[in-house]
Amino acid sequence: MNTIRHALWLWLLAVALGGCAATAPVKTDDFVAYHDAVESLSAGSAAALAYEREWTYRNYLASFTEGGAANPAAVILDFPDGPGAPFAWTLSDAPQYIAIQDTEARLAELNKLFSDYSSLLVELSGATANDAGRITGLGEALNKNSLSAARALGMKPDAKPVALFSAAATSAAQAYVNHRRRTSLQAVLRANQPAVDAFAKLGADAARISAVGIKTEYQNDTKRWVERYVKAAASKRGKLIEEQLALNERTIAQLDALRKIHDSYLLLAKKHAELANSVGTGGRVDFRRLIDNGQQLRDLYKRLRTAGEQQLNAGDSP
């Protein structure tokens, strides 16, 4: 009999503790940290694309001034008749920097989507029943914006769930603000996980595309450098070697940075899943690596831009 009572007491204790864990207050700290990580990665990836755009633009100009094979007609706009006229325009041989501009704009839209989502999570984590209407409105707006972003970013809506704050997530959010149960907040995060994974993959893909662009620009730079080296007097070749070594270092740094951006977007999705698990257990998630990556990226591109300006100034010196 004592054994049965002891077992029953342990069972009741486990149920009570489980109930307390499910209804214990949710700390917003991890949600704020996740938002900070999103903002840090956003700033770092924006710096990367801005630098690449500037580099490709300089190379495009150099293709006209340093003996390149660029066609002057490539810089002249054409205004076709038909759909979109009289507002439509085309560029017969669009340079690489325009493609980078397009990628930059797409990535900015992606980063804004993640920022809006992580901001909503911060609000939701501390919301009460009085905030139900506001949370629903924000969720519906995010859902609509995420579908629009998916189309703009070239994602196929029939391939994966792409709506952040779907009907299931909205229903779970309402349950959470009304009853403040951790399991409801966990359900919100888990309902959104497939969309977070899909959007994070787009960010990682943008980094891969940028890496291909960086290698192309390096090859174009090097081709012109070889022509200059062959024509240069022996006394000038040492300086040219230094120039190429500096280009090597800059290119390696950019590729390493783009790898970090690629990995950080995938890590953003992984940390979102960890956040869902931690909500259920009351544990904590470490976002330091993501935040540090973003800061390191911003610092790197600041240094690269400074080094590039110094090199240009040195080249203008007599």
Side-chain angles (χ1 to χ4, degrees), residues 63-245:
S63 68
F64 291 95
T65 60
E66 296 181 8
N71 180 4
V75 299
I76 300 174
L77 290 175
D78 183 38
F79 305 98
D81 295 326
F87 310 105
W89 60 270
T90 61
L91 206 54
S92 60
D93 186 16
Q96 177 70 12
Y97 79 88
I98 290 183
I100 299 299
Q101 281 181 332
D102 181 63
T103 301
E104 193 176 12
R106 289 168 181 260
L107 194 63
E109 186 166 4
L110 176 66
N111 287 336
K112 185 179 185 306
L113 186 65
F114 269 123
S115 178
D116 290 346
Y117 174 61
S118 58
S119 294
L120 178 52
L121 290 182
V122 173
E123 287 203 44
L124 176 61
S125 64
T128 65
N130 294 331
D131 304 310
R134 173 173 170 76
I135 293 298
T136 297
L138 290 173
E140 290 175 350
L142 183 63
N143 180 291
K144 181 179 179 180
N145 291 341
S146 66
L147 291 172
S148 297
R151 288 190 290 269
L153 294 166
M155 187 186 294
K156 296 180 180 179
D158 58 342
K160 291 183 179 180
V162 293
L164 282 170
F165 260 76
S166 61
T170 301
S171 177
Q174 288 299 309
Y176 172 71
V177 298
N178 287 322
H179 305 292
R180 299 286 297 176
R181 294 184 64 86
R182 287 177 175 272
T183 50
S184 297
L185 184 54
Q186 187 178 52
V188 172
L189 296 169
R190 288 181 171 169
N192 290 328
Q193 188 65 47
V196 170
D197 289 340
F199 282 114
K201 184 178 182 300
L202 285 180
D205 288 345
R208 294 178 65 88
I209 293 170
S210 295
V212 173
I214 289 295
K215 289 188 284 189
T216 299
E217 293 307 312
Y218 174 83
Q219 291 163 350
N220 291 339
D221 268 4
T222 301
K223 181 179 179 181
R224 286 192 293 271
W225 177 85
V226 169
E227 294 172 354
R228 291 164 55 211
Y229 184 85
V230 169
K231 297 176 182 177
S235 60
K236 302 289 186 180
R237 288 185 172 181
K239 188 69 175 178
L240 286 171
I241 291 294
E242 291 179 4
E243 180 183 314
Q244 184 66 16
L245 291 176

Side-chain angles (χ1 to χ4, degrees), residues 240-260:
L240 286 171
I241 291 294
E242 291 179 4
E243 180 183 314
Q244 184 66 16
L245 291 176
L247 175 63
N248 290 349
E249 291 180 6
R250 191 164 71 245
T251 301
I252 291 170
Q254 285 183 270
L255 291 174
D256 286 345
L258 288 169
R259 179 187 289 122
K260 183 171 291 187

Side-chain angles (χ1 to χ4, degrees), residues 8-20:
L8 180 60
W9 182 85
L10 289 176
W11 179 78
L12 290 172
L13 179 62
V15 170
L17 290 175
C20 290

Side-chain angles (χ1 to χ4, degrees), residues 18-65:
C20 290
T23 57
V26 173
K27 294 183 178 180
T28 62
D29 297 11
D30 275 355
F31 292 92
V32 171
Y34 185 70
H35 177 67
D36 289 345
V38 167
E39 294 295 289
S40 184
L41 176 57
S42 175
S45 60
L49 268 293
Y51 184 85
E52 184 175 356
R53 170 175 43 78
E54 292 167 7
W55 187 9
T56 55
Y57 181 71
R58 287 197 302 268
N59 279 353
Y60 183 61
L61 294 181
S63 68
F64 291 95
T65 60

